[in-house]
Amino acid sequence: KAAVVRLADASLLAQIAAQDSDETVRAAAEETLQNVALASNPDAARAALQVLSGEAALITIARTATLEEIAVEALERILKPHALGLVVKKGSHEAVRKAALERLDDTTELGDLARKLEEKDLAMSALGRLEAILGPGTPSAPAAEIFTLLAERARNKAVSRRARLLVQGGEAEPAGATQPPSDRARQIRLCEEM
């Protein structure tokens, strides 16, 4: 097991991970492969990534790889919406986070992201994707339920405001949100009298 941790040859590590009779040695080989994929040597990282197939390893690499191109390659192999959501929430490369968000089409995961993300750009993008999937105009019952939840509980205020607007079925600001017109001439006259 100790020798496996010191290996850097991806093909040898892959062979050990697949064929060794000792489970702890196989696990150490997989962990070492993942660590090589997270490192800053692009050739070794790419070779390690090519032999890794476990979803947990791919998520970790997409979220925390030192090299953005390795993170992108790992992201391309992730299929499940929840896994893509994890990359959006906790990825270390902004481009990878945005790419993961672009691939999401699961309304539950998009709603969760729009509600929980604090970064305005990503949270609003998640809400935008949700709007595009659910359709424009007066929201259906499930869409209204999602938008109501976002209006009440979104961490980002811009998402909350936009969701409130969507629940009301409009694109413009709600009627109560506009300021009444002021009588500017009267205000000036009062100031001059003082």
Side-chain angles (χ1 to χ4, degrees), residues 11 16 28 31 33-34 39 43 45 76-77 83-86 89 105 115 129 149 155-156 164 168-169 178 184-185 193:
S11 61
I16 293 169
E31 184 179 340
L33 274 170
Q34 184 174 318
D43 295 330
E76 290 170 356
R77 294 174 50 195
L84 290 169
L86 289 173
K89 287 178 199 168
D105 59 0
R115 184 171 56 89
R129 296 259 315 133
L149 177 68
R155 289 183 182 167
N156 185 283
R164 208 171 3 267
Q168 295 168 355
T178 58
R184 187 71 180 145
E193 288 176 2

Side-chain angles (χ1 to χ4, degrees), residues 3 5 9 34 41 100 104 121-122 133 147 176 179 184 187:
V5 175
D9 181 6
Q34 184 174 318
N41 179 342
L104 266 171
D121 290 344
L122 284 173
I133 291 169
F147 294 143
Q179 295 289 331
R184 187 71 180 145
Q187 291 172 346

Side-chain angles (χ1 to χ4, degrees), residues 63-80:
R63 286 176 39 200
T64 60
T66 304
L67 302 171
E68 185 175 323
E69 63 266 18
I70 299 301
V72 169
E73 288 180 30
L75 176 65
E76 290 170 356
R77 294 174 50 195
I78 295 174
L79 302 174
K80 293 184 180 175

Side-chain angles (χ1 to χ4, degrees), residues 27-97:
E30 289 230 6
E31 184 179 340
T32 303
L33 274 170
Q34 184 174 318
N35 290 337
V36 170
L38 293 172
S40 60
N41 179 342
D43 295 330
R46 191 165 281 111
L49 179 61
Q50 288 175 349
V51 296
L52 285 169
S53 60
E55 186 176 48
L58 293 174
I59 293 169
T60 300
I61 294 166
R63 286 176 39 200
T64 60
T66 304
L67 302 171
E68 185 175 323
E69 63 266 18
I70 299 301
V72 169
E73 288 180 30
L75 176 65
E76 290 170 356
R77 294 174 50 195
I78 295 174
L79 302 174
K80 293 184 180 175
H82 183 69
L84 290 169
L86 289 173
V87 175
V88 174
K89 287 178 199 168
K90 299 180 181 183
S92 58
H93 299 287
E94 192 68 24
V96 176
R97 295 175 78 191

Side-chain angles (χ1 to χ4, degrees), residues 132-166:
I133 291 169
L134 295 175
T138 305
S140 63
E145 186 179 320
I146 293 170
F147 294 143
T148 300
L149 177 68
L150 291 175
E152 294 171 357
R153 296 193 179 173
R155 289 183 182 167
N156 185 283
K157 290 181 182 184
V159 169
S160 182
R161 280 192 303 268
R162 178 71 184 146
R164 208 171 3 267
L165 252 167
L166 292 169

Side-chain angles (χ1 to χ4, degrees), residues 113-121 123 155-157:
L113 289 171
R115 184 171 56 89
K116 290 181 179 178
L117 288 172
E118 293 180 9
E119 300 96 334
K120 182 180 177 181
D121 290 344
R155 289 183 182 167
N156 185 283
K157 290 181 182 184

